Amino acid sequence: GPEELRGSDSQLSALNSQLPLPASHHRGILPRCVVMKKLLLPFGVAGVLAFAATSSSGADTGTGKSFQGPVGLQLYSLRAQFAANGAAKTLDAVKGYGIRYAELAGTYNLKPEQLLKLLSDRGIKAVSGHFPYKRFQDNPAAVAAEAKALGLEFAGCAWADHKAPLDEKQAREIAAVFNRAGAVLAQHGLRFFYHNHGFEFYPLGNETLMDLIIRETDPKLVSFQMDVLWTVFPGQDPAKLLNKYP
């Protein structure tokens, strides 16, 4: 289920004790949202949909003078609705928001072909998906097969199993898993990516373990998806990070 894809809510809350937070940092001031690196996905993913409420046609949902779109939705944002109402009704709501592009986080106990049909029937294209880290570690070919069945272009993970706190040895092991997964997915015409969750920003010299992971991965095989909250929360600057790794 979605909880194993990104870590449970209790796991994410527990990151408070793992992150090297600046003394001036306070919780609860940032929206839960995600920005996609331009080299990874052709759309932005929003964790909240207040901005979409004014559009029902989908032609201009989430767009404006400074952003031409299109915008998409990470379906993990609606995990409670999927659990309570099922996939069909929840995807009806997504269609009603005007959303035409989605990123998946599980298949809600449906076969890939079944979920693909529910999405297609509502005019929603799944471009990307999150899968458990261990699946990439153990059998990336199986992930590739599922991603292809779902019609995805990108497949990645939003958590990297580790013993807290993350250290250099574990960071290098994670990068190696990413490189292997990226190589396998590339053979199937897919792109592997990693979605950060804050614990990667422990200092390493003048940089961080996130820098190490990025530099140890092959840019031809591995991309990165920035989670804005889990970049700011440990005291990092998202804009500077994007400029550092264009």
Side-chain angles (χ1 to χ4, degrees), residues 5-73:
L5 302 180
R6 300 167 67 101
S8 66
D9 290 338
S10 61
Q11 280 180 306
L12 299 183
S13 297
L15 282 172
N16 274 327
S17 62
Q18 297 186 36
L19 301 181
L21 302 179
S24 61
H25 188 86
H26 297 281
R27 297 191 62 184
I29 60 172
L30 294 173
R32 183 70 176 91
C33 60
V34 179
V35 168
M36 315 299 295
K37 190 173 180 180
K38 64 179 181 179
L39 295 179
L40 173 58
L41 294 178
F43 64 92
V45 175
V48 291
L49 285 172
F51 65 84
T54 58
S55 174
S56 59
S57 68
D60 58 356
T61 295
T63 63
K65 291 182 179 179
S66 63
F67 178 69
Q68 299 303 310
V71 70
L73 173 67

Side-chain angles (χ1 to χ4, degrees), residues 35-171:
V35 168
M36 315 299 295
K37 190 173 180 180
K38 64 179 181 179
L39 295 179
L40 173 58
L41 294 178
F43 64 92
V45 175
V48 291
L49 285 172
F51 65 84
T54 58
S55 174
S56 59
S57 68
D60 58 356
T61 295
T63 63
K65 291 182 179 179
S66 63
F67 178 69
Q68 299 303 310
V71 70
L73 173 67
Q74 164 53 269
L75 296 184
Y76 183 80
S77 305
L78 302 178
R79 58 195 179 280
Q81 289 86 341
F82 275 102
N85 304 324
K89 288 185 178 180
T90 303
L91 291 175
D92 285 340
V94 172
K95 178 182 178 180
Y97 296 145
I99 295 293
R100 293 174 294 160
Y101 299 94
E103 182 175 67
L104 307 181
T107 60
Y108 312 103
N109 297 316
L110 297 171
K111 294 180 179 179
E113 296 80 5
Q114 293 174 314
L115 179 56
L116 178 61
K117 185 176 188 308
L118 288 178
L119 291 163
S120 299
D121 287 349
R122 291 157 179 80
I124 301 169
K125 163 67 176 173
V127 178
S128 173
H130 287 184
F131 298 82
Y133 174 80
K134 187 169 176 53
R135 290 191 63 189
F136 287 111
Q137 192 174 34
D138 295 345
N139 193 352
V143 177
E146 183 174 331
K148 293 291 285 187
L150 288 163
L152 306 182
E153 300 171 38
F154 304 88
C157 56
W159 191 262
D161 298 341
H162 66 284
K163 182 178 180 181
L166 185 68
D167 56 26
E168 181 177 352
K169 179 177 181 294
Q170 293 182 99

